[in-house]
């Protein structure tokens, strides 16, 4: 089977790290062309560092890491150290990375790659704010039509928001970027909070990852223990939502997910609801669908997949 070529644009973040580990554990299905750091959970200097830590932890220091946007297109930077810790990968003690980031900027890498690879063969996987993607599309409008699709973690509808009552973090940090990407015409698969809030790191699920017994699995368990504490406190749940690996799991087992084609618009005008993803789930607006919005997931199937692939690292 031909491997699927992917670019992961990300703001690690412990859950981003889990997603990258899932991708690295699936080399027969996925070819990671590059990892692009964006400012989000923590500033760019940390998201770049964190990407290189994950690569070295997984024995993948051959992977190319690129640095992208330092801040959102127009709005002040918002970060999430309250969830992810000062570094973004708090919870596990790991050495500073020795591998360097690429000299080429992530935006130029995205443009060059989509222009070089045959049309319809590269999937953009976004796990953070969409600043890099929107910047690349603005600089090279031809590339949105060359990607196979964009699979993203972001937004929320029936679940509302997590950084404000109306907005999910990735969209809230750069709503203008999200608005541009949803208007670009690129085929989008959206993993909103409505899906990721079903993916809870319960004790039973984390115990199966811990039972793998390898160093990568142990570090992931330590990261999850730190990452989940904020949401356990907030939601009173058994475990916290493991957002970002849903994007990679969709590439590997799309049958785990179900949703429908909807129109999605991004609120950018109202300070009360800025960053809200207005999902026309019941098709009342007459606006054209521009995304496949997922709403349901087989959570046990997702964690079985994640555990099985992390065990391969
Ligand atoms: O709202 C959850 C999203 O924001 C996840 O991608 C998490 O890593 C943060 O980036
Ligand atoms: Ca993220």
């Amino acid at each position: 089977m031909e491997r699927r070529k992917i670019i992961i644009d990300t703001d690690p973040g412990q859950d981003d790290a889990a997603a990258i580990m899932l991708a690295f554990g699936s080399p027969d299905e996925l070819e990671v062309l590059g990892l692009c750091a964006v400012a989000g959970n923590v500033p760019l200097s940390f998201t770049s560092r964190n990407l290189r830590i994950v690569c070295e932890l997984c024995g993948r220091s051959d992977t190319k890491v690129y640095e992208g946007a330092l801040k959102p297109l127009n709005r002040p930077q918002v970060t999430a150290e309250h969830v992810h810790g000062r570094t973004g990968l708090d919870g596990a003690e790991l050495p500073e990375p020795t591998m360097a980031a690429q000299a080429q900027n992530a935006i130029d890498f995205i443009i060059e790659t989509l222009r070089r690879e045959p049309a319809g063969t590269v999937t953009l996987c976004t796990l953070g704010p969409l600043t890099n993607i929107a910047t690349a599309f603005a600089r090279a409008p031809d590339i949105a039509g060359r990607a196979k699709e964009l699979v993203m973690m972001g937004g929320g509808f029936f679940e509302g928001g997590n950084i404000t009552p109306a907005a999910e973090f990735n969209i809230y940090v750069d709503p203008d970027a999200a608005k541009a990407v949803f208007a670009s015409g690129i085929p989008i698969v959206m993993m909103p909070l409505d899906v990721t809030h079903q993916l809870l790191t319960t004790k039973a699920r984390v115990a199966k990852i811990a039972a793998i017994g390898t160093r990568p699995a142990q570090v992931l368990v330590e990261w999850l223990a730190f990452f989940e504490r904020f949401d356990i406190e907030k939601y009173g749940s058994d475990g916290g939502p493991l957002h970002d690996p849903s994007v990679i799991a969709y590439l590997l087992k799309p049958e785990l997910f179900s949703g429908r084609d909807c129109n999605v618009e991004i609120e950018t005008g109202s300070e009360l609801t800025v960053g809200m993803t207005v999902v026309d789930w019941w098709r009342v607006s007459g606006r054209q669908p521009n995304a496949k919005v997922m709403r349901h997931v087989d959570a046990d199937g997702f964690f079985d997949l994640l555990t099985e692939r992390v065990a391969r690292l």
Side-chain angles (χ1 to χ4, degrees):
M1 177 180 75
E2 193 168 335
R3 298 198 301 166
R4 185 163 177 164
K5 295 175 181 174
I6 68 173
I7 292 172
I8 302 177
D9 194 85
T10 171
D11 64 332
Q14 293 88 349
D15 61 319
D16 303 67
I20 295 162
M21 294 172 83
L22 176 56
F24 281 159
S26 309
D28 296 338
E29 296 103 322
L30 302 175
E31 179 183 359
V32 180
L33 299 180
L35 300 174
C36 298
V38 66
N41 285 317
V42 286
L44 180 69
S45 56
F46 274 121
T47 58
S48 169
R49 164 198 179 263
N50 296 344
L51 272 178
R52 289 176 280 128
I53 283 177
V54 176
C55 287
E56 292 184 347
L57 172 69
C58 298
R60 293 295 303 273
S61 53
D62 59 308
T63 307
K64 290 184 168 55
V65 171
Y66 299 86
E67 297 176 347
L70 276 163
K71 61 176 291 295
L73 296 181
N74 305 312
R75 296 176 68 88
Q77 185 178 1
V78 172
T79 52
E81 288 89 346
H82 60 289
V83 177
H84 299 273
R86 182 183 66 83
T87 71
L89 281 187
D90 286 27
E93 286 306 316
L94 290 162
E96 289 303 304
T98 56
M99 66 182 281
Q102 298 296 304
Q104 185 180 34
N105 180 279
I107 284 92
D108 295 329
F109 162 72
I110 291 166
I111 294 169
E112 178 189 281
T113 304
L114 284 174
R115 284 179 169 164
R116 179 190 69 240
E117 297 294 333
T121 62
V122 176
T123 298
L124 298 175
C125 304
T126 65
L127 314 179
L130 291 166
T131 316
N132 287 347
I133 307 302
T135 304
F137 286 4
R139 198 177 296 171
D142 59 296
I143 64 171
R146 292 188 60 82
K148 177 182 178 61
E149 61 185 347
L150 182 145
V151 186
M152 59 167 290
M153 191 278 140
F157 187 58
F158 298 96
E159 278 291 297
N162 58 3
I163 189 76
T164 75
E168 176 278 326
F169 180 82
N170 287 339
I171 309 298
Y172 180 77
V173 166
D174 200 338
D176 304 297
K179 187 180 184 76
V181 170
F182 275 84
S184 70
I186 189 170
I188 294 174
V189 176
M190 177 175 160
M191 293 289 166
L193 297 178
D194 310 276
V195 162
T196 65
H197 280 188
Q198 300 173 51
L199 300 174
L200 297 179
T201 56
T202 64
K203 291 182 183 61
R205 288 165 177 165
V206 174
K208 289 180 182 174
I209 297 173
I212 295 170
T214 60
R215 177 67 177 147
Q218 177 197 357
V219 169
L220 178 55
V221 167
E222 291 169 359
W223 279 336
L224 294 181
F226 184 92
F227 165 74
E228 68 183 16
R229 84 212 182 288
F230 178 82
D231 285 324
I232 288 171
E233 173 71 25
K234 177 177 172 181
Y235 297 112
S237 49
D238 175 8
L242 190 55
H243 305 285
D244 290 337
S246 62
V247 168
I248 306 303
Y250 175 79
L251 303 182
L252 298 169
K253 284 196 165 184
E255 65 273 17
L256 292 173
F257 302 88
S258 65
R260 66 168 63 159
D261 292 332
C262 301
N263 175 267
V264 179
E265 300 295 334
I266 312 297
E267 174 61 65
T268 54
S270 150
E271 274 313 305
L272 177 64
T273 56
V274 63
M276 180 176 182
T277 48
V278 180
V279 177
D280 186 6
W281 184 264
W282 303 113
R283 299 189 180 125
V284 296
S285 71
R287 294 190 291 263
Q288 280 303 306
N290 58 350
K292 183 182 290 292
V293 179
M294 295 300 169
R295 188 174 177 191
H296 299 290
V297 60
D298 169 0
D300 286 332
F302 165 86
F303 278 98
D304 288 348
L305 174 66
L306 177 64
T307 305
E308 188 256 324
R309 296 303 164 95
V310 167
R312 294 185 185 182
L313 297 174

